[in-house]
Amino acid sequence: MVGIQHSSSGEKDFVEVLGLKEEIEKIQSTIADFEMGKKLNIAIVAEPLKGKTTLSSEIERINLNRAAKITFSKIVKNKNEISLPDDAKKIVILDNCHFLYMRKPGGFDIFYEFLDMISSQNRIFVTTWNIYSWKYLNEAFGLGKYFPVQIFIPAFEKENIRLFILKKYEKDEIKFAKDEESEEKPFFYIIKYPVELASLGKKIFISAPKINISYLRNRFLKKQKIEAAEDQVFEKLYLESNGNPGIALRIWDLGLDYPRIKPKNIGIFSYEVDLEYEEAFTLNLILSYQSLKKSEITEIMGSMMSVDRILYQLLSQELILKDENDSYRVRPEALSSITTYMEKLRLVW
């Protein structure tokens, strides 16, 4: 039986950082069963930026020399892109399988070819899917029955978010600074207020006591001791990202004034989403594929002029961004607001 190959300390670090030990063990156990004659294809499913490509790369690394990986980066239109040579390795890792269909009439031929391939070949397929495409395809085509082993990447623990981000830096490279008002001032202090005296035509300053409300709130109302700045930073990152490491990293980057970061620099992102149905459907496409080029959106929607107007609206509301490859993606820090809005419209579930 083949288990996890603890061939180097680097793997241990990876598992500890991402907190995906159980998921990796389950995948490796399924691969071991395949080598004993029991084939169960695997689907790794997660929302954008949650680590499915990283997990699939780790599975490839663990199974070096007996696994081959193919990554799809755009909608697949030619079945040759999914064809495997006869001497292909027995473990096939297919990353971003949500690119194997086009959501329009007649846009599922490649998807059918794919289902036929994974069902007929004597290979085990480890695949990754955007959760919103997965749910749609499972509802429409019963996709789940082709993948008896389904790995839904869970939200990361707060401590794993901290390890994931700080892994990029040397020890003590990042300086965590306190928010001045709540940390550096005492809970009771004197300030001077300016007062205009109209009768005298001049301004004077009077002394007045002031209470550090933030200090008291932290110290008494919550009945908690004041946390270190680093703990406050990662508490806010964890809550704002809902345990999604990619979103946490994005919010971190937005708040970092290298090499310093303060708790108050960790932004709170809430978007008022108000879209016409055509705009919402297009945003749902971008969410489900994770990235789409304008030409792909146009092919699905059928009108260049309409797509120009829609993309302008989505960009102006800061719900999407255009990356270096000219693809449109959901703005990471807006993901939570967008999915909440989509759920209300029942465009995702």
Side-chain angles (χ1 to χ4, degrees):
M1 180 175 178
V2 178
I4 295 180
Q5 299 175 2
H6 297 285
S7 57
S8 70
S9 60
E11 178 188 337
K12 183 180 179 182
D13 291 343
F14 175 89
V15 172
E16 289 179 349
V17 168
L18 294 185
L20 297 174
K21 182 178 179 180
E22 291 183 6
E23 287 75 15
I24 292 175
E25 286 180 344
K26 187 173 182 180
I27 293 170
Q28 287 301 108
S29 176
T30 304
I31 290 174
D33 287 344
F34 169 69
E35 295 185 332
M36 297 296 290
K38 181 182 179 182
K39 175 185 172 179
L40 297 174
N41 289 323
I42 302 167
I44 300 170
V45 186
E47 69 178 7
L49 305 175
K50 210 166 185 177
K52 52 187 178 295
T53 293
T54 304
L55 177 55
S56 69
S57 296
E58 180 64 4
I59 296 302
E60 180 188 21
R61 191 192 67 79
I62 294 173
N63 297 284
L64 194 65
N65 298 325
R66 59 178 183 158
K69 181 176 180 180
I70 300 172
T71 297
F72 305 113
S73 58
K74 61 181 180 180
I75 294 178
V76 176
K77 298 179 180 178
N78 189 329
K79 68 178 182 179
N80 290 332
E81 295 184 51
I82 64 170
S83 297
L84 299 175
D86 293 337
D87 59 350
K89 295 177 180 176
K90 291 295 185 180
I91 304 171
V92 180
I93 302 170
L94 300 175
D95 192 23
N96 294 337
C97 288
H98 40 266
F99 283 124
L100 294 175
Y101 73 104
M102 181 168 282
R103 193 165 174 175
K104 69 170 191 174
F108 294 87
D109 292 347
I110 298 295
F111 180 69
Y112 293 136
E113 291 275 353
F114 162 75
L115 294 181
D116 181 63
M117 177 181 71
I118 65 170
S119 302
S120 61
Q121 294 199 9
N122 184 29
R123 295 182 174 86
I124 185 170
F125 291 87
V126 182
T127 60
T128 74
W129 302 81
N130 179 298
I131 193 169
Y132 303 110
S133 281
W134 170 268
K135 289 182 176 179
Y136 163 69
L137 293 169
N138 190 39
E139 185 75 17
F141 300 95
L143 181 59
K145 67 184 179 185
Y146 295 89
F147 296 94
V149 178
Q150 298 167 12
I151 308 290
F152 290 86
I153 296 180
F156 279 30
E157 299 290 339
K158 181 170 58 179
E159 193 58 26
N160 288 332
I161 293 286
R162 184 201 303 260
L163 294 170
F164 171 70
I165 289 176
L166 293 185
K167 194 173 185 291
K168 297 171 52 181
Y169 305 97
E170 299 293 331
K171 183 180 180 182
D172 298 327
E173 180 180 348
I174 297 298
K175 309 301 180 188
F176 292 89
K178 297 177 180 178
D179 293 337
E180 291 79 3
E181 181 181 5
S182 64
E183 300 291 342
E184 295 181 356
K185 293 181 179 177
F187 76 94
F188 181 85
Y189 54 98
I190 302 297
I191 64 171
K192 291 186 176 181
Y193 283 107
V195 177
E196 297 283 351
L197 296 179
S199 59
L200 301 177
K202 65 179 182 180
K203 179 189 296 183
I204 65 171
F205 290 86
I206 61 174
S207 298
K210 184 173 177 62
I211 297 175
N212 187 339
I213 299 299
S214 298
Y215 178 94
L216 289 177
R217 184 183 297 117
N218 287 330
R219 192 62 181 270
F220 299 110
L221 297 184
K222 292 185 177 180
K223 298 181 180 179
Q224 295 176 347
K225 66 178 182 181
I226 295 176
E227 297 178 318
E230 179 177 338
D231 292 333
Q232 291 182 32
V233 165
F234 285 105
E235 176 71 17
K236 295 183 71 174
L237 274 178
Y238 173 69
L239 294 175
E240 193 63 26
S241 68
N242 293 318
N244 183 316
I247 295 175
L249 181 59
R250 165 74 172 181
I251 296 173
W252 166 273
D253 287 339
L254 291 173
L256 179 65
D257 183 14
Y258 183 85
R260 292 168 58 88
I261 192 165
K262 298 179 179 179
K264 69 179 183 181
N265 295 140
I266 302 301
I268 297 175
F269 297 93
S270 179
Y271 291 75
E272 291 291 333
V273 185
D274 183 17
L275 302 171
E276 296 179 0
Y277 183 82
E278 198 175 34
E279 297 164 350
F281 181 75
T282 302
L283 183 58
N284 180 47
L285 289 175
I286 296 173
L287 174 67
S288 299
Y289 285 98
Q290 293 191 194
S291 70
L292 280 178
K293 293 187 177 297
K294 180 179 173 181
S295 59
E296 294 170 324
I297 299 172
T298 302
E299 189 168 351
I300 297 173
M301 300 295 291
S303 169
M304 175 70 79
M305 292 184 62
S306 173
V307 169
D308 282 337
R309 178 186 60 78
I310 291 170
L311 290 177
Y312 173 78
Q313 287 295 333
L314 298 179
L315 286 168
S316 63
Q317 292 191 36
E318 299 186 334
L319 300 175
I320 62 172
L321 51 79
K322 189 176 182 181
D323 66 19
E324 64 277 8
N325 297 316
D326 290 332
S327 292
Y328 294 91
R329 297 175 178 271
V330 166
R331 190 176 288 274
E333 61 272 27
L335 181 61
S336 178
S337 298
I338 289 172
T339 54
T340 299
Y341 181 75
M342 292 295 175
E343 288 169 354
K344 289 180 180 177
L345 295 181
R346 298 192 61 77
L347 285 172
V348 301
W349 57 90

